[in-house]
Amino acid sequence: MKLASRAEKLKPSATLLITAKAKALRAEGIDVIGFGAGEPDFDTPENIKDIAVSAINDGFTKYTAVGGIDELKEAIIASLSEDYGLDYDKSEIIVSCGAKHTLYNLTQVIIEEGDEVIIPAPYWVSYPAQVSLAGGKPVIIETTEESGFKIEPDELKEKINQKTKVLILNYPSNPTGATYSEDDLNIIAEIAIDSGLIIISDEIYHKILYDGITHTPIATLGDDVKNSTILVNGVSKTYSMTGWRIGYSAGDKAVTSAMSKLQGQSTSNPVSISQMAAVEALMGSQDDVSKMVREFEERKNYITKRLNEVPDVRCFSPQGAFYVFPNISRFFGKGYDGKEIENSVDFTEFLLEEAKVAVIPGIEFGSDDHVRISYAVSMEDIKKGIDRIEEAVEKLE
Ligand SMILES: *Cc1c(COP(=O)(O)O)cnc(C)c1O
């Protein structure tokens, strides 16, 4: 059958290839350590699950308002106000089927054919894909560990032209774990506002921060910035609720209303039961969040230290999220078994074959010098996995 050109824009992912290979190895009975996970390994907290069970038993199992129930919108407003002093009206909030869906709706309603969208790399894989699907042109700004994986103001200015409509920010970042300070954001905001850009601010890892670092949403930096920003968040990462599919945005009323119309003609409301659970996540005890973050921080400290001790690996120390993004480019040109490693996909295949460790090649995130390792796995597996990586790279020559 002849596909629409829209469908042809969708690229197959290198990650799927690696995941399939890892699966095949596991089927052979080989114990593969999986560092690919993009979700917390903890169970959803008990209080949240209990509310969901009650919602089912109480028959809260029908369609709801398209953009989410009032209780959840109120909980989102309350949490943004309590955490950050941000003030939103219900008409500025929409709940969708995960933050990925929020971003999809958002890109569909604000990006037109030919609009340029600035995306700092390394980026979350779905940004360029969603921008392209909306007919926009992703304009990538490369960043490296030298600048802490942050965009340089001058480079941002250079990329902006008449066609630039949107700047996408993600802090703390997947895949680098880097985040922006208030000072960094002030500089970026000023440039974006001067050029009349819309800022999409993906803050899904806002609570997963280390070393006493605090999170500042860019929307807190003044009314102008707030009016130009759509803040995107969700419960997936903070509350270990990836499967529940609840994401949301806060921002411009007209944009929110357009997203709601699109959602009304596509998915309708997010799952009723999950919405009730999300109210509890936001309003109930936050003790489990602190516990999870403390555990992540221990793993982060361990994995960063260990990786930096591996010869020829350089690993930026993340400030948030649950990934490390080590630079493995010093292995390029080296080989094993007659095969030469030339890029992040080759290195990923090498690790899978020789170390029985699965990671994600950096090229997926727009940087071929790196691989992404998720530490949303047990400390025991982290130790075993890093031991194996250390041993395997010794074979490279
Ligand atoms: C996981 C993730 C999302 C989407 O999460 P949902 O499960 O769809 O809410 C969005 N942005 C980034 C950077 C992520 O890592």
Side-chain angles (χ1 to χ4, degrees):
M1 277 181 206
K2 172 94 180 83
L3 291 177
S5 54
R6 192 183 312 114
E8 273 152 14
K9 283 184 193 157
L10 294 164
K11 291 192 202 95
S13 104
T15 305
L16 290 181
L17 212 88
I18 297 292
T19 316
K21 270 196 189 174
K23 210 171 155 193
L25 286 173
R26 284 201 185 103
E28 285 173 38
I30 297 166
D31 137 63
V32 176
I33 307 270
F35 282 140
E39 58 184 346
D41 53 318
F42 305 106
D43 196 10
T44 303
E46 250 0 274
N47 60 315
I48 298 173
K49 292 197 291 187
D50 288 347
I51 294 292
V53 171
S54 310
I56 293 173
N57 289 332
D58 296 346
F60 193 69
T61 52
K62 303 289 170 65
Y63 291 137
T64 72
V66 167
I69 56 175
D70 278 349
E71 294 93 311
L72 181 50
K73 287 188 181 177
E74 280 155 14
I76 292 164
I77 290 168
S79 75
L80 287 169
S81 165
E82 264 169 49
D83 289 347
Y84 305 116
L86 281 167
D87 189 19
Y88 288 99
D89 184 75
K90 258 191 284 191
S91 60
E92 297 171 305
I93 307 286
I94 175 168
V95 185
S96 304
C97 311
K100 187 183 271 186
H101 184 220
T102 307
L103 288 160
Y104 180 81
N105 286 340
L106 185 52
T107 47
Q108 288 292 319
V109 304
I110 62 176
I111 296 168
E112 284 198 276
E113 205 65 38
D115 282 346
E116 294 192 2
V117 177
I118 297 180
I119 305 173
Y123 45 71
W124 185 52
V125 280
S126 294
Y127 301 139
Q130 292 193 351
V131 167
S132 299
L133 269 175
K137 181 182 163 201
V139 174
I140 307 300
I141 298 185
E142 315 265 345
T143 70
T144 62
E145 40 275 277
E146 280 72 39
S147 62
F149 288 117
K150 294 178 195 179
I151 45 175
E152 305 276 5
D154 286 342
E155 263 190 87
L156 175 58
K157 280 187 207 156
E158 248 169 58
K159 297 279 185 193
I160 297 174
N161 62 45
Q162 290 298 314
K163 290 185 184 154
T164 313
K165 179 147 189 202
V166 182
L167 166 66
I168 301 184
L169 294 176
N170 170 220
Y171 54 100
S173 151
N174 174 6
T176 66
T179 198
Y180 288 102
S181 70
E182 185 170 336
D183 289 345
D184 299 329
L185 291 171
N186 262 313
I187 297 168
I188 294 171
E190 196 183 318
I191 297 168
I193 299 306
D194 278 352
S195 309
L197 305 188
I198 297 173
I199 302 167
I200 296 181
S201 186
D202 180 348
E203 304 176 27
I204 194 109
Y205 294 99
H206 70 144
K207 299 267 178 172
I208 307 179
L209 276 167
Y210 310 121
D211 307 324
I213 288 175
T214 53
H215 179 76
T216 307
I218 197 165
T220 58
L221 304 178
D223 284 347
D224 280 358
V225 198
K226 182 167 177 264
N227 293 337
S228 303
T229 300
I230 308 287
L231 185 160
V232 176
N233 212 322
V235 296
S236 285
K237 309 290 160 61
T238 305
Y239 301 99
S240 204
M241 289 177 74
T242 44
W244 301 70
R245 312 309 304 129
I246 295 289
Y248 53 86
S249 64
D252 187 84
K253 212 166 153 174
V255 168
T256 306
S257 158
M259 288 166 77
S260 181
K261 282 184 212 154
L262 176 61
Q263 186 157 304
Q265 301 298 359
S266 47
T267 59
S268 290
N269 62 273
V271 174
S272 58
I273 301 149
S274 300
Q275 290 190 64
M276 278 300 190
V279 173
E280 174 64 16
L282 294 172
M283 303 313 288
S285 162
Q286 304 293 304
D287 291 354
D288 285 309
V289 178
S290 320
K291 264 188 240 158
M292 289 191 264
V293 175
R294 276 201 299 275
E295 171 83 33
F296 277 141
E297 183 158 10
E298 246 174 68
R299 298 176 189 173
K300 184 268 299 180
N301 289 337
Y302 177 81
I303 200 166
T304 310
K305 179 168 174 290
R306 283 292 310 274
L307 281 169
N308 275 315
E309 286 164 4
V310 177
D312 290 331
V313 172
R314 278 184 297 151
C315 185
F316 172 81
S317 181
Q319 296 145 334
F322 39 73
Y323 314 97
V324 276
F325 202 58
N327 187 312
I328 45 85
S329 62
R330 287 190 189 146
F331 296 113
F332 298 171
K334 297 191 176 185
Y336 67 108
D337 270 1
K339 280 183 259 181
E340 191 176 298
I341 293 175
E342 287 173 358
N343 53 44
S344 63
V345 175
D346 293 348
F347 187 76
T348 301
E349 280 178 7
F350 160 74
L351 284 189
L352 190 56
E353 283 163 25
E354 296 297 312
K356 307 289 182 266
V357 166
V359 302
I360 314 273
I363 189 71
E364 291 280 280
F365 310 96
S367 174
D368 213 10
D369 287 345
H370 300 84
V371 292
R372 191 190 76 174
I373 295 178
S374 160
Y375 49 89
V377 294
S378 70
M379 199 61 153
E380 196 190 333
D381 276 1
I382 292 174
K383 286 183 180 155
K384 210 154 72 171
I386 304 297
D387 286 347
R388 289 186 189 181
I389 291 175
E390 202 165 43
E391 235 173 84
V393 299
E394 271 174 31
K395 295 182 206 158
L396 289 174
E397 48 193 32

